[in-house]
Every structure is written in C-alpha cells, then in structure tokens.
C-alpha cells in the first residue's frame, strides 16, 4: 500500500503504486511474452503501469526514463537494449530519488547503488549449456566441425554473455570452430538473411548453428531448407529461449536443443516493486530458474509452454 493516515493505518483507497517501465522493443516472441507478463502482473498486483516501447533505441529509453521522472512515478524499471552507457541517466534517476530496477538484460555500471536489483537470467550460463550440448552431440563426429553463430543485438548483454559462455565451453575441443559469426538482431527475418549469406559463403563447412535466440533459428531453418540441407540433421541447431514455435521445431527434429530463457518476469518484478515501496531490502540479483530441452524431451514439456 502506498498511503497511510495520520495514525499510520493504511488507507483503504490508497493511491496505487505507479511503475514506469521502459521496454526495449518488440523484436521476438520472447519479448512479446515478457511484455505481456509485465502487463498482466501489474494488473494483478494493482500497480499502475506506464509502459514505453523504445524500439531498440537506447536514446528512446533515455527519453522514456526522463518522462517517468517528470511524471514523478514511484518506481522505474528498465529492460536495457545494450549493456553500456547507462551511468549518466541512472544518476538522473537517483538524483530524483526514484528507485530503479533493472529487468531482463544486465548493464555495465561501476556504481551498483544506481539500481536496487537486477531481475534476469544468467546469459553466460545459457551459452555454456548450449556449448555443452554441442560438445556431446558432436562427440563421435570427425573434425573439423564448422559452426555458424547468429548473434543477437550488438552490445546487448544476452548476446555478449551467451557468445562468451558458448565459446569458452567448446574451446575444450579444438575440432569445433566458429567459422562465421554474424549479428542478426534477435529477429526471424535477419536470422534468415544472415544464414543465407553464411551458407552461400561457407555452406559446405557448416555442421552446427548456434543461434542466440529461437527467432533467429526459425529464420535460419528456412534459409537452410532453401539451400537444400536438412536443419537438425545436416546442420545441428541449438538456440536459446524456449518459445512454443521452437518447441514445434524440436518435436519435428529441425532444432536439436533449446536452452530455456524465461521471459515471465512480471510477477518477480511486481513483487520487487511492492517490496521497494515497503522499504524492504532486496537481493542485488534475482535469477529465474531455467532448463534445457532437447528433441528427445520436447514432447513431454510442449503442452505446458506458456510462451
Ligand atoms: O533471448 C531474445 C530477446 O534479452 C533475454 O532478447 C532477452 C533476449 C531474448 O529478443 O529472444
């Protein structure tokens, strides 16, 4: 509750908490599920949500945050499009005395007092899980084993961390080598375009595709089929997120493994917002639990997918 009377008793009709949320865009199914989760959870918690979509522009996120400051919202939450460049704007928020929560993607700041908590996945670990799967899947395959990498948004923490975790894991086997690595912005269309180019240049060498999200893998599958190869058979595919569409591809054997990244952060976020308003101390990091799904296990879990 955000209000109390002179005796400190909560007022029944207390004004709802106002949360300004800067979403980074609408590039993928993961993102759409994330947005929906936040909107639904706000409604359920009785929190008034002021929602802004930055369409992949950090500048737009700055503008949204400044408008939240002007509106004097109670709490600000940000899903940051890229990792760097946040320090000055977060100082403005701090100077305005508004608590700030980082959601989904991590940021790179020296001064961790600039935010209350970061609610989001361990992207480095996701990359490691993808790498481990490929190590096992190609165990009996003779080298060299060429890998194509479809990276997400340049400078974004999931792309940086997933790439790092994957690379460090496959390094234990020198036959595994990334022969081409391209940014494809986490979208289906760019995933298809970039994969087309990769196949044109190095089609014969590519045995594995690591896509930093499902959407790019879905685009790449189209490119691989148009090129005349069988996704999941001629080219092993591992991606990240765990969307329904990716599950269908797992079941069809066109994707071999999906590392889960949970977009349903709304309830966690609203809980954090409520606790901040109650003056409670939050953990600096809140990590949702995540799993790994393969072509063998996908069927069992498909029915309960929420995104
Ligand atoms: O994996 C991708 C989305 O930041 C974790 O962004 C998120 C990533 C997610 O576009 O699908």
């Amino acid at each position: 509750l955000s209000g109390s009377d002179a005796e400190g008793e909560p007022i029944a009709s207390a004004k709802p908490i106002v949360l300004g949320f800067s979403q980074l865009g609408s590039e993928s199914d993961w993102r759409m599920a994330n947005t929906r989760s936040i909107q639904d959870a706000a409604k359920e918690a009785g929190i008034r949500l002021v929602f802004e979509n930055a369409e992949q522009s950090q500048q737009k996120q700055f503008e949204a945050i400044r408008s939240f400051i002007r509106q004097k919202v109670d709490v600000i939450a940000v899903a940051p499009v890229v990792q760097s460049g946040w320090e000055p704007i977060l100082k403005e928020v701090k100077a305005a005395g508004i608590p700030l929560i980082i959601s989904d993607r991590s940021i790179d700041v020296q001064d961790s007092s600039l935010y209350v908590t970061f609610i989001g996945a361990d992207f480095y670990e996701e990359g490691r899980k993808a790498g481990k799967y490929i190590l096992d899947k190609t165990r009996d395959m003779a080298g060299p084993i060429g890998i194509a990498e479809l990276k997400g948004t340049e400078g974004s923490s999931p792309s940086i961390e997933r790439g790092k975790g994957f690379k460090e894991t496959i390094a234990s086997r020198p036959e595994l080598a990334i022969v081409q690595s391209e940014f494809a912005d986490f979208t289906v269309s760019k995933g298809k375009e970039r994969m087309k180019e990769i196949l044109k240049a190095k089609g014969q060498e590519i045995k594995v595709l690591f896509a930093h999200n499902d959407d790019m893998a879905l685009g790449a599958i189209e490119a691989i089929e148009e090129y005349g190869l069988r996704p999941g058979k001629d080219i092993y595919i591992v991606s990240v997120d765990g969307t329904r569409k990716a599950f269908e591809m797992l079941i069809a054997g066109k994707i071999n493994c999906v590392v889960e990244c949970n977009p349903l952060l709304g309830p966690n976020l609203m809980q954090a917002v409520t606790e901040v308003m109650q003056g409670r101390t939050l953990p600096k990091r809140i990590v949702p639990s995540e799993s790994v799904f393969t072509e063998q296990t996908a069927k069992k879990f498909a029915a309960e997918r929420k995104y």
Side-chain angles (χ1 to χ4, degrees):
L1 291 173
S2 59
S4 58
D5 66 15
E7 276 79 50
E9 292 294 316
I11 298 167
S13 61
K15 274 203 264 140
I17 298 170
V18 181
L19 169 66
F21 176 61
S22 168
Q23 177 60 291
L24 66 90
S26 42
E27 72 284 358
S28 65
D29 279 2
W30 190 101
R31 186 68 45 204
M32 306 315 265
N34 179 245
T35 292
R36 244 179 287 121
S37 169
I38 287 165
Q39 290 169 335
D40 291 351
K43 208 174 273 170
E44 203 164 298
I47 290 172
R48 193 163 79 75
L49 183 68
V50 187
F51 181 91
E52 293 288 346
N53 180 348
E55 285 151 4
Q56 311 300 320
S57 155
Q58 187 180 34
Q59 198 54 46
K60 276 197 179 166
Q61 296 206 279
F62 293 166
E63 285 159 24
I65 293 166
R66 290 200 180 105
S67 87
F68 297 151
I69 295 174
R70 282 194 303 275
Q71 292 171 60
K72 299 192 167 63
V73 302
D74 296 307
V75 181
I76 294 175
V78 184
V81 61
V82 290
Q83 200 171 40
S84 63
W86 291 96
E87 202 115 12
I89 189 86
L90 296 200
K91 282 188 178 144
E92 290 178 37
V93 175
K94 196 178 179 185
I98 301 174
L100 181 128
I101 297 171
I102 301 292
S103 169
D104 165 21
R105 297 183 180 177
S106 66
I107 55 168
D108 205 358
V109 288
Q110 296 293 321
D111 177 4
S112 66
S113 79
L114 291 172
Y115 61 90
V116 177
T117 184
F118 164 47
I119 305 171
D122 184 341
F123 301 133
Y124 176 78
E125 192 50 37
E126 291 169 354
R128 288 189 56 83
K129 287 174 184 167
K132 275 187 213 149
Y133 177 82
I134 291 304
L135 278 178
D136 287 345
K137 186 78 179 169
T138 60
R139 195 174 27 211
D140 301 322
M141 217 169 152
I145 303 163
I147 302 173
E149 180 184 32
L150 288 174
K151 296 178 285 189
T153 300
E154 189 165 13
S156 71
S157 63
S159 192
I160 294 167
E161 297 294 319
R162 285 172 190 164
K164 206 192 279 173
F166 183 81
K167 253 168 259 162
E168 288 181 11
T169 306
I170 60 161
S172 66
R173 193 173 165 210
E175 293 92 332
L176 287 165
I178 296 178
V179 293
Q180 199 156 337
S181 177
E182 301 292 340
F183 290 106
D185 303 341
F186 288 123
T187 68
V188 174
S189 61
K190 287 271 172 59
K192 181 171 181 180
E193 259 175 59
R194 294 291 96 83
M195 194 63 196
K196 229 178 178 164
E197 293 159 8
I198 293 172
L199 290 169
K200 205 167 165 197
K202 311 229 163 98
Q204 302 310 308
E205 289 174 55
I206 307 296
K207 303 286 175 258
V208 171
L209 166 64
F210 172 40
H212 288 191
N213 83 342
D214 291 341
D215 297 64
M216 295 188 293
L218 294 176
I221 285 171
E222 287 179 28
I224 292 167
E225 287 178 335
E226 284 171 20
Y227 184 78
L229 291 175
R230 294 167 306 166
K233 308 242 159 25
D234 301 316
I235 297 179
Y236 294 144
I237 302 180
V238 56
S239 65
V240 186
D241 279 354
T243 63
R244 278 214 196 95
K245 284 178 201 149
F247 261 73
E248 281 167 27
M249 289 298 162
L250 275 175
I251 291 166
K254 294 184 181 188
I255 293 181
N256 305 89
C257 176
V258 171
V259 176
E260 185 178 35
C261 179
N262 187 356
L264 308 176
L265 305 179
N268 275 330
L269 177 59
M270 298 315 144
Q271 163 121 21
V273 167
T274 308
E275 290 188 12
V276 167
M277 291 304 289
Q278 290 167 344
R280 294 214 213 156
T281 308
L282 277 98
K284 208 68 202 176
R285 182 77 200 271
I286 300 169
V287 187
S289 70
E290 290 169 349
S291 197
V292 175
F293 307 104
T294 66
E295 6 175 20
Q296 282 80 28
T297 65
K299 253 207 185 112
K300 208 171 118 198
F301 298 101
E304 62 199 45
R305 282 324 272 168
K306 299 227 160 38
Y307 60 98

